[in-house]
């Protein structure tokens, strides 16, 4: 937990770098509950003193912000990246519900569209992991009932299974070759005991032709998982063919002279146009390596993310 963090990208307070949101009241909610703010377990682990109560944290934060003036907001955007991007999906309608009817309230999920797919060995690694999260945190009661009435609760941690039921306008920003998902869903360490994927996972340019072919398969699965996401004018989509994870809170990917674009549109402009109902933006990039505007991540040997 760093004591101070830079507010950049969508949190930047300078008009040049964040033209549509620079003068907003901006709040960064610190994340430490491990369940995208869905946990609610009364029992405290005596050995670790861990509290699995992310849903209560969420509620306390929202109540605090409403009292501080959010109850008078004309515009409100719930955004987040990675686990926070999943939070923005899971809590989207809940966020809309606590605000006045006259508020323009929307949600932006950056790199939070985790997909349900088997790893390279055919094992259902991420499904088992999400099941453990939901079980440990007692998340079931805080997941959308429109999904849990049809599927087991852990399946409702995958956006593809519950995004169709979200009524609040939602924008999905995601790399089609999401680096976290490639490294943890497609090829988790346990699925690569001999390290065949080691250098490919660090840098997409180090991938062999067969590995790239498997990653193209991941993109296909990702786009299939997105198919249920409505194409109404209230939804937005910016799916670029980059090896990246989280693009809204870093200035170089949000809006800069060489930031990623889709049809000449940078992320900041696409999200701003969608939020203020200027232009609907729903674009999916051509397959890797066609996009020269990508900021592809290159990881060090000890990188976790």
């Amino acid at each position: 937990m760093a004591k101070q963090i830079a507010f950049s990208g969508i949190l930047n307070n300078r008009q040049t770098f964040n033209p549509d949101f620079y003068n907003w009241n901006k709040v960064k909610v610190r994340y430490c509950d491990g369940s995208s703010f869905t946990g609610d377990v009364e029992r405290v682990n005596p050995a670790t003193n861990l509290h699995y109560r992310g849903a209560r944290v969420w509620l306390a934060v929202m109540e605090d912000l409403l009292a501080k003036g959010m109850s008078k907001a004309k515009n409100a955007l719930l955004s987040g990246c990675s686990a926070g991007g999943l939070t923005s999906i899971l809590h989207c309608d809940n966020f809309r519900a606590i605000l006045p009817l006259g508020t323009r309230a929307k949600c932006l999920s950056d790199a939070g569209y985790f997909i349900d797919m088997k790893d390279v060995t055919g094992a259902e690694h991420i499904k088992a992991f999400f099941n453990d999260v939901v079980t440990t945190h007692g998340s079931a009661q805080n997941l959308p009932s429109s999904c849990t009435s049809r599927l087991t609760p852990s399946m409702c941690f995958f956006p593809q299974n519950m995004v169709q039921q979200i009524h609040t306008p939602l924008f999905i920003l995601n790399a089609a070759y999401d680096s976290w998902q490639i490294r943890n869903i497609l090829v988790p360490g346990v699925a690569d005991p001999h390290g065949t994927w080691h250098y490919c996972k660090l840098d997409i340019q180090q991938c062999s032709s067969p590995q790239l072919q498997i990653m193209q398969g991941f993109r296909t699965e990702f786009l299939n998982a997105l198919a249920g996401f409505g194409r109404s004018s209230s939804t937005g989509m910016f799916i670029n063919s980059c090896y990246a994870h989280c693009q809204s809170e870093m200035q170089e990917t949000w809006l800069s002279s060489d930031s990623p674009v889709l049809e000449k549109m940078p992320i900041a402009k696409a999200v701003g146009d969608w939020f203020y109902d200027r232009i609907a933006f729903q674009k999916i990039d051509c397959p890797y390596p066609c996009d020269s505007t990508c900021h592809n991540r290159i990881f060090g040997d000890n990188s976790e993310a």
Side-chain angles (χ1 to χ4, degrees):
M1 275 280 179
K3 293 280 185 286
Q4 256 189 335
I5 57 163
F7 270 31
S8 63
I10 196 171
L11 298 173
N12 201 308
N13 64 0
R14 292 168 65 187
Q15 188 171 7
T16 316
F17 300 114
N18 189 24
D20 282 306
F21 307 105
Y22 75 98
N23 59 353
W24 281 39
N25 295 300
K26 296 179 285 289
V27 179
K28 174 84 168 177
V29 181
R30 305 310 297 268
Y31 176 64
C32 66
D33 85 301
S35 71
S36 290
F37 297 105
T38 60
D40 194 355
V41 177
E42 193 61 40
R43 181 180 174 273
V44 178
N45 186 319
T48 59
N49 198 34
L50 280 175
H51 295 60
Y52 298 104
R53 298 177 184 172
R56 300 188 200 182
V57 174
W58 162 267
L59 196 57
V61 170
M62 292 302 123
E63 286 174 351
D64 184 58
L65 294 176
L66 287 167
K68 283 183 163 75
M70 193 168 77
S71 59
K72 300 182 184 71
K74 290 189 175 68
N75 296 297
L77 177 62
L78 177 66
S79 70
C81 122
S82 197
L86 180 56
T87 302
S88 294
I89 296 173
L90 295 175
H91 284 285
C92 187
D93 281 343
N94 173 289
F95 179 67
R96 161 70 276 179
I98 65 171
L99 291 162
L101 280 175
T103 304
R104 185 201 311 252
K106 300 189 180 187
C107 308
L108 164 64
S109 171
D110 177 9
Y113 206 91
F114 300 99
I115 67 166
D116 174 20
M117 76 172 291
K118 293 175 179 174
D119 68 23
V120 287
T121 69
E124 296 190 315
H125 180 80
I126 191 65
K127 192 178 281 186
F129 175 69
F130 275 7
N131 187 59
D132 288 347
V133 169
V134 168
T135 305
T136 302
H137 289 261
S139 301
Q141 68 233 28
N142 294 307
L143 294 169
S145 58
S146 57
C147 179
T148 54
S149 61
R150 296 178 295 113
L151 299 168
T152 57
S154 61
M155 293 305 289
C156 300
F157 229 61
F158 291 105
Q160 69 202 74
N161 293 327
M162 44 75 66
V163 79
Q164 303 94 321
Q165 280 81 43
I166 294 174
H167 303 295
T168 308
L170 172 65
F171 192 109
I172 303 290
L173 163 62
N174 224 105
Y177 307 87
D178 185 299
S179 55
W180 191 92
Q181 296 198 49
I182 297 287
R183 293 157 59 87
N184 295 279
I185 295 181
L186 181 65
V187 198
V190 68
D192 185 34
H194 304 297
T196 311
W197 282 80
H198 179 77
Y199 292 104
C200 172
K201 283 164 68 174
L202 294 179
D203 178 358
I204 194 169
Q205 291 189 320
Q206 304 298 319
C207 298
S208 65
S209 292
Q211 286 171 334
L212 280 176
Q213 209 169 342
I214 290 168
M215 286 166 76
Q216 298 296 9
F218 174 87
R219 173 181 177 270
T220 301
E221 291 257 2
F222 184 85
L223 297 183
N224 287 343
L226 258 183
F229 184 51
R231 291 291 195 273
S232 78
S233 59
S234 68
T235 61
M237 200 161 40
F238 190 111
I239 311 296
N240 54 1
S241 287
C242 306
Y243 189 60
H245 184 67
C246 293
Q247 301 178 89
S248 64
E249 291 177 31
M250 291 193 302
Q251 197 59 51
E252 57 266 32
T253 46
W254 177 249
L255 184 64
S256 65
S257 57
D258 69 339
S259 54
V261 294
L262 278 184
E263 295 185 13
K264 300 184 178 175
M265 181 84 79
I267 295 167
K269 181 88 167 76
V271 172
D273 282 352
W274 160 81
F275 184 84
Y276 285 109
D277 300 313
R278 294 191 294 250
I279 306 168
F281 191 92
Q282 299 172 352
K283 305 288 181 204
I284 296 173
D285 211 350
C286 48
Y288 176 88
C290 74
D291 189 340
S292 60
T293 70
C294 282
H295 288 225
N296 290 322
R297 287 287 302 271
I298 298 174
F299 294 88
D301 260 336
N302 301 317
S303 300
E304 292 297 319

